[in-house]
Every structure is written in C-alpha cells, then in structure tokens.
Amino acid sequence: MKNAGIPANRIVFSEKFACPVSGFTIAEIEPRLFSFNAPQGACPACDGLGEKLVFDEDLVVPNHDLTIKKGAIVPWAKSNPPSPYYMQVLGSLARELGFSLDTKWADLPEEHRDAILYGTKGKPVTLTFVDGKKSYDVRKPFEGVIGNLNRRMLQTESAWMREELSKYQASHPCETCHGARLKPEALAVKVAMRDISSVTRLSVVDALAFFATLPAQLTDQQNEIARAILKEIDERLGFLNNVGLDYLNLNRTSGTLSGGEIAAHPPRLADRLRPLGRALRPRRAEHRPPPARQRHAARHPQAPPRSRQHRPRRRA
C-alpha cells in the first residue's frame, strides 16, 4: 500500500479483495451481499430500510405564526396551560440568548430557533426554576426540544408514550447509505461504473436501455459469464415494459403503487409471478394435522353399537 512504509520493490498480496491505495477491503462477494433483507448486505445504520424516523421540525412547530407562550412548540404545549417546567426552561433560555417568548416563531432569528430545537451544542446556560416560594439556578447545557424528545423516546417503556411521541416523527433518508439500503461494501461493487443501487433507481425503460448497451462495455469473458443473467433481466424488464409499466422505477416500494398499477394486467401478472412463487416456495414436507373430529375419534375409540336383540328391555 502507498505511504505504508513498504519498500517500492516489494509486492504485497491480500487474502481479501483490497484496494492498494485506500486499504478498503471487502469479503468474498456473494448474492446476499447485495440484499438489504440480509444482515450481510443491509446498511447497519438503518437495518436496510433506507430511511429513519426522526423528529421533524415542521411537526414539532407546525404553526409559525404562534408565539412560544401561545403554544408554538406543540409537544411542550399540549397541556393547557403549558407545563410550568418547560416554560421555565424556555424562559431561562430566552433570557440567556436575548429573545422574547411573545415573539412569533417566524420572526425569531435562525440561531435562536436552532438553539431552541437542537440545544446549545454543549454550551452551558443558566436555567432558573421556581418551586413555590423557592427559586434555584442550574447551569448546564440545554439539550433542545428535539434532543429532549429523542431522549424520552429512547428511555420510555410506555407504549402510549411512544405512540404520542411518534406523532412528531417523519421518515427521512438514512444519513449513512442515503437511501441505498446497502452496506458500503456492496455499493463498492460496480458494473460499467454503476453500483446496484444506482441501477435500481432507473425507470423500467431506462434500465432496458442500460442493459441493452451493457454487453458492449464488457469483455468477451465477462459477456460469457453474464449472458444468462442478462437474458433473464431483459425478459423481466421487457414484460414490465410491454404491460405499460415502463415509467416505474425499479426501487418503488409496494406501498407507493396505486391500485391501477397493481391491477393493470392481473391475469398476465399472475401468470408471470406464479412460476416464480413456486420456485421460491420452500421444498419441505409440510405436516398438516388431521381435522379435530378425526383426532377426537382416535383418542376416544367407541365400542361398536349393539344389535337390537341384545338391548335390555325397559321395565314396565
């Protein structure tokens, strides 16, 4: 490797796939490395979801025309009147930074809004609390409204509290994989300078064009290896294109598809997916218990019915 103190005439070999410049290594490449449903390929930060639930500013402060005293910060102002503790914290912060609680949220400077939502970034402030006739000061960093919500979400064991706090959360792309849902090792593998995530962001028609020109960018040996795979990809993409779904992106989730897109050509889609379902179905013997009536008869065998002549006569 460069700048590693190794003599120039020495050749270094690695048991792993390694970059001689950066030192980046990757384990043996296998199919599960490219699956966000497998731990070997899923992004460790978002568990392969590509997004995270985070507290959203627009949900925490939905009405920018309200003042803090009139309940601009909804999670801290749900009670009527607002909680004295939170109002004393915000009042202390207002005195420290020099703003008023009677100012509309939209009119507050950006740095003051940032300090209210995200805290003072480790800078201690004096918080004054009044408890009846007693008053005391505490000097410590302010965690911010969103920091407070994050801490409560992590610490609470109450399902009701989690449900209440989740009202102020929204989905945002993962800051690690940026929505790709895969580990950096999987995204480092590229074909024609594209990783698997960038290809799945293409629409069906654009993906068809990409795979049509791909053989020209591969060597003869690579084309020999990829021939069967490219044929299968072209067939599947060609089918989606022929049924009128050429505008769909390959990474569209099922929840974003409309009923018309799902039911566009149900008979043909069913015929197309049925063989795939058989191939993916586990091939194991499935034990099915007998019906309840058969189980009862096996556990409680009955004596054969007696004939009429052996029945005892009823006394008069």
Side-chain angles (χ1 to χ4, degrees):
M1 300 179 188
K2 291 185 178 180
N3 302 324
I6 300 174
N9 59 349
R10 182 175 297 178
I11 301 176
V12 180
F13 295 92
S14 174
E15 295 179 352
K16 300 180 179 180
F17 297 99
C19 174
V21 178
S22 65
F24 178 82
T25 60
I26 184 174
E28 183 178 356
I29 299 176
E30 50 187 348
R32 60 184 179 177
L33 178 66
F34 304 98
S35 172
F36 47 75
N37 290 321
Q40 292 80 6
C43 170
C46 62
D47 295 327
L49 297 176
E51 58 187 24
K52 282 185 173 182
L53 284 175
V54 298
F55 287 99
D56 195 321
E57 294 182 18
D58 293 331
L59 297 178
V60 173
V61 187
N63 189 349
H64 291 197
D65 291 329
L66 291 178
T67 65
I68 295 178
K69 270 192 176 179
K70 291 186 178 180
I73 303 174
V74 176
W76 281 14
K78 292 197 69 174
S79 58
N80 192 14
S83 169
Y85 171 80
Y86 290 135
M87 292 307 299
Q88 290 175 15
V89 169
L90 292 172
S92 301
L93 186 67
R95 286 192 298 271
E96 187 81 17
L97 300 181
F99 65 89
S100 173
L101 299 183
D102 294 316
T103 304
K104 291 183 180 181
W105 182 264
D107 296 335
L108 287 173
E110 183 67 27
E111 60 269 19
H112 291 167
R113 286 188 287 179
D114 186 73
I116 294 170
L117 292 177
Y118 298 101
T120 55
K121 309 295 191 297
K123 179 184 176 182
V125 295
T126 302
L127 304 178
T128 303
F129 299 98
V130 179
D131 185 7
K133 296 181 180 180
K134 295 181 180 180
S135 175
Y136 58 95
D137 295 337
V138 177
R139 187 163 181 80
K140 64 177 183 178
F142 175 58
E143 63 181 349
V145 176
I146 290 181
N148 173 267
L149 297 176
N150 278 320
R151 178 176 55 79
R152 290 164 59 191
M153 176 66 85
L154 292 173
Q155 293 178 352
T156 185
E157 297 180 358
S158 169
W160 175 84
M161 179 57 68
R162 287 182 177 274
E163 184 178 355
E164 284 295 310
L165 294 176
S166 66
K167 295 177 182 178
Y168 309 106
Q169 290 183 320
S171 296
H172 287 263
C174 173
E175 68 278 4
T176 302
C177 66
H178 305 288
R181 308 173 73 174
L182 294 170
K183 286 182 176 180
E185 291 85 349
L187 300 176
V189 180
K190 298 184 179 181
V191 176
M193 301 306 295
R194 278 184 177 268
D195 58 64
I196 189 172
S197 176
S198 65
V199 175
T200 57
R201 292 193 185 102
L202 298 175
S203 65
V204 171
V205 64
D206 291 338
L208 269 173
F210 169 73
F211 285 108
T213 60
L214 182 59
Q217 305 178 53
L218 303 178
T219 64
D220 294 340
Q221 182 183 12
Q222 291 171 338
N223 274 308
E224 187 66 26
I225 297 171
R227 181 177 291 111
I229 302 172
L230 291 176
K231 179 183 177 183
E232 183 72 17
I233 292 174
D234 288 338
E235 288 179 357
R236 292 172 184 266
L237 291 176
F239 169 75
L240 293 174
N241 184 56
N242 292 336
V243 298
L245 301 178
D246 55 315
Y247 59 91
L248 290 180
N249 289 355
L250 301 180
N251 63 348
R252 280 278 294 272
T253 58
S254 59
T256 64
L257 297 175
S258 67
E261 290 168 342
I262 297 174
H265 300 276
R268 297 184 64 185
L269 285 174
D271 293 341
R272 185 73 175 183
L273 295 177
R274 194 175 293 115
L276 179 61
R278 291 199 206 102
L280 296 178
R281 191 177 300 130
R283 301 176 182 271
R284 61 177 65 175
E286 192 172 323
H287 173 70
R288 294 184 179 179
R293 186 176 298 174
Q294 295 182 15
R295 294 199 301 268
H296 179 78
R299 293 174 183 171
H300 307 283
Q302 297 179 356
R306 291 177 291 184
S307 59
R308 295 182 62 87
Q309 57 269 24
H310 290 96
R311 290 182 182 176
R313 294 183 178 181
R314 188 181 302 172
R315 294 181 180 180

